[in-house]
Amino acid sequence: MWKPDMPIVVAGSTLSPAEAWRHEFVSALHARLDGAVDREWLDKLIAALYQLNADQDPRQAAEVAFVTLGFDLPSGDNQH
């Protein structure tokens, strides 16, 4: 599992590994999107990605998500 170099403390409380991952992911994605992110959408994205990326650097996961979200899905009859 990913572990930050230093514990992340917010409002006097040390974040759990999952909370720290989310905090770093959100920070990185907000920076790329100038803060223009719907919170509900972001929560769903994090729930989906954290399960697959808990052991990865969350800032790198945010960069991959940002690049991936920029792609248009192909149109056509062969989609499932």
Side-chain angles (χ1 to χ4, degrees):
M1 174 164 293
W2 172 82
K3 294 181 183 178
D5 295 334
M6 301 283 291
I8 297 176
V9 178
V10 174
S13 296
T14 301
L15 300 181
S16 71
E19 292 167 332
W21 193 95
R22 182 186 194 292
H23 180 271
E24 291 296 301
F25 181 90
V26 168
S27 293
L29 199 58
H30 269 258
R32 297 288 283 166
L33 299 173
D34 295 326
V37 179
D38 177 78
R39 186 172 182 88
E40 186 176 329
W41 175 87
L42 183 58
D43 288 342
K44 290 176 184 178
L45 178 65
I46 291 169
L49 293 180
Y50 180 73
Q51 294 178 29
L52 301 170
N53 291 282
D55 60 340
Q56 301 297 316
D57 182 317
R59 291 186 172 272
Q60 184 176 4
E63 184 65 25
V64 171
F66 176 76
V67 170
T68 303
L69 291 168
F71 284 94
D72 290 327
L73 292 174
S75 60
D77 297 333
N78 57 349
Q79 290 183 343
H80 296 105

